[in-house]
């Protein structure tokens, strides 16, 4: 089969597309004929050896996708050959076929495109867990989304709106903000040209925001936290800006607010049944039209370096998808 191969750690231009052995289903696993796979920020780290998971070389990156089951391992009872499925794994998705754990594989809703299904698990799973379990978001609260036009950002815009929140989208260009507006954002902040602190005071009438969703880090974190409402929750998702911020801890005291870590992968490994329930709820929102799960950037795996660049250079609007 054809697969993306990481033979040496480094940037995406070191990845190659070549032949790899066809997988065989181990007990508790299934083999999937991959139709589409989602590219995520952890994928940019794992190929450089900067992620918590460090697979042996060579390996095929990619942690989520959608396709058709072609083989069942021993003990798998909730799936059958020919099923269209959404799957999650640690590596292996950027290939024509992959073996994945059956416990993290669920049937695709009828009529859902593979490209849409491939991009739901990690981004929407992360964002929904962050809002539901970690922030315990309530209807009527205000959510600020940093990096709002990216994969997890736009997922949060849609999910927070569907959960009854007022959504403030912050992004670096007016084009990205228009995309956020079309996805349901109530207020927009261009943090490249506007004073975010002043705009947040204006939008919230000085009250501050109840929940901050922060996959960006860098200089934006402290500026956002200083505009937190009493009892607010700042969700630490990641550091796409590159720098890990150092927020003065006295702000937590003064703001009566919390910094809340979100490590979705670790939570899923300990709470697989809760993750399945979250996915059912997310897919229900998609079926009801409350969540669009829009896909705008699709690349064949031969253009894997271009796909990574789209993500790392923060040009993506929504999810970046690779197709075999």
């Amino acid at each position: 089969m054809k697969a993306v191969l990481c033979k040496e750690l480094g940037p995406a231009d070191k990845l190659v597309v070549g032949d790899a052995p066809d997988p065989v289903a181990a007990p508790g696993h299934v083999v999937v004929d991959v139709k589409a796979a989602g590219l995520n920020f952890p994928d940019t780290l794992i190929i450089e050896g900067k992620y918590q998971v460090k697979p042996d070389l060579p390996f095929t990156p990619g942690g989520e996708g959608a396709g058709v089951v072609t083989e069942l391992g021993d003990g798998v009872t909730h799936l059958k050959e020919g099923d269209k499925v959404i799957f999650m794994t640690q590596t292996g998705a950027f290939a024509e076929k992959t073996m994945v754990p059956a416990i993290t594989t669920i049937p695709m809703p009828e009529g859902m495109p593979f490209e849409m299904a491939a991009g739901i698990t990690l981004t929407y799973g992360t964002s929904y867990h962050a809002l539901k379990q970690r922030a315990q978001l309530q209807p009527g609260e205000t959510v600020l989304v940093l990096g709002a036009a990216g994969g997890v950002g736009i997922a949060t815009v849609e999910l927070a709106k569907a959960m009854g929140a007022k959504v403030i989208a912050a992004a670096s260009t007016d084009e990205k903000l228009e995309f956020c507006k079309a996805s349901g954002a109530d207020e927009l902040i261009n943090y490249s040209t506007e004073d975010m602190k002043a705009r947040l005071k204006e939008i919230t009438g000085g009250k501050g925001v109840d929940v901050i969703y922060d996959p960006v880090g860098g200089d934006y974190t402290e500026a956002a936290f200083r505009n937190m409402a009493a009892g607010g929750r700042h969700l630490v998702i990641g550091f796409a800006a590159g720098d890990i911020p150092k927020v003065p801890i006295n702000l937590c005291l003064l703001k009566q607010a919390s910094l809340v870590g979100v490590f979705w992968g670790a939570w899923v490994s300990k709470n697989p049944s809760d993750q399945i329930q979250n996915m059912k709820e997310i897919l229900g929102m998609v079926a009801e039209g409350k969540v669009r799960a829009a896909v705008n950037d699709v690349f064949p795996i031969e253009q894997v370096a271009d796909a990574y660049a789209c993500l790392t250079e923060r040009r993506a609007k929504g999810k970046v998808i690779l197709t075999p």
Side-chain angles (χ1 to χ4, degrees):
M1 69 171 184
K2 185 188 300 180
V4 175
L5 301 172
C6 181
K7 296 183 176 182
E8 59 176 312
L9 298 178
D13 59 10
K14 291 185 178 294
L15 297 172
V16 298
V17 178
D19 292 329
D22 285 356
V24 177
H29 290 67
V30 296
V31 172
V32 176
D33 183 359
V34 180
K35 302 300 183 183
L39 179 64
N40 297 279
F41 184 65
D43 295 316
T44 70
L45 301 177
I46 198 169
I47 63 171
E48 297 189 16
K50 298 177 180 178
Y51 194 57
Q52 296 95 324
V53 177
K54 293 179 170 59
D56 294 333
L57 296 172
F59 69 90
T60 293
E64 67 172 345
V68 179
V69 174
T70 60
E71 184 185 348
L72 304 177
D74 291 343
V76 178
T77 58
H78 73 289
L79 298 168
K80 63 182 184 299
E81 292 182 10
D83 280 352
K84 295 179 179 180
V85 294
I86 300 170
F87 66 83
M88 182 180 69
T89 182
Q90 287 190 336
T91 58
F94 300 163
E96 291 180 323
K97 294 179 182 291
T98 190
M99 183 182 70
V100 297
I103 195 171
T104 60
T105 303
I106 60 174
M108 267 177 56
E110 194 65 35
M112 177 176 282
F114 284 112
E115 290 83 3
M116 178 190 289
I120 282 182
T121 303
L122 268 72
T123 49
Y124 285 82
T126 297
S127 297
Y128 194 50
H129 165 59
L131 295 173
K132 178 184 175 183
Q133 277 93 11
R134 301 298 287 147
Q136 299 183 19
L137 179 66
Q138 301 300 310
E141 290 191 311
T142 301
V143 178
L144 168 65
V145 185
L146 302 178
V152 290
I154 208 66
T156 306
V157 169
E158 294 187 339
L159 289 167
K161 191 66 179 176
M163 296 168 75
K166 178 180 179 179
V167 180
I168 304 170
S172 59
T173 70
D174 290 339
E175 181 185 12
K176 290 180 179 180
L177 289 171
E178 284 302 312
F179 178 55
C180 296
K181 183 177 181 181
S183 298
D186 299 290
E187 300 283 352
L188 309 174
I189 299 176
N190 184 329
Y191 45 51
S192 294
T193 60
E194 297 181 280
D195 183 333
M196 184 167 67
K197 184 176 179 180
R199 283 285 287 130
L200 287 172
K201 284 186 177 180
E202 176 187 349
I203 292 169
T204 65
K207 173 182 176 293
V209 296
D210 299 296
V211 175
I212 296 170
Y213 188 92
D214 184 2
V216 179
D219 295 336
Y220 301 117
T221 295
E222 183 175 336
F225 197 90
R226 287 183 179 277
N227 283 275
M228 182 78 77
R233 293 84 76 201
H234 187 124
L235 299 169
V236 181
I237 310 298
F239 313 102
D243 295 328
I244 298 177
K246 296 176 175 60
V247 177
I249 199 168
N250 66 308
L251 290 177
C252 296
L253 184 154
L254 296 172
K255 292 290 182 179
Q256 305 174 69
S258 303
L259 278 168
V260 182
V262 181
F263 189 175
W264 175 75
W267 176 81
V268 169
S269 67
K270 295 181 179 179
N271 303 275
S273 60
D274 291 335
Q275 162 60 12
I276 294 297
Q277 180 58 37
N278 277 8
M279 284 301 301
K280 289 179 179 178
E281 293 173 12
I282 293 167
L283 293 174
M285 294 182 208
V286 174
E288 294 171 9
K290 295 180 179 179
V291 169
R292 296 191 309 162
V295 174
N296 294 281
D297 300 290
V298 180
F299 297 82
I301 62 171
E302 291 83 2
Q303 296 177 17
V304 62
D306 294 334
Y308 270 78
C310 182
L311 184 65
T312 58
E313 294 171 9
R314 298 168 70 179
R315 291 186 277 109
K317 289 183 292 183
K319 192 72 182 186
V320 178
I321 299 295
L322 285 165
T323 56

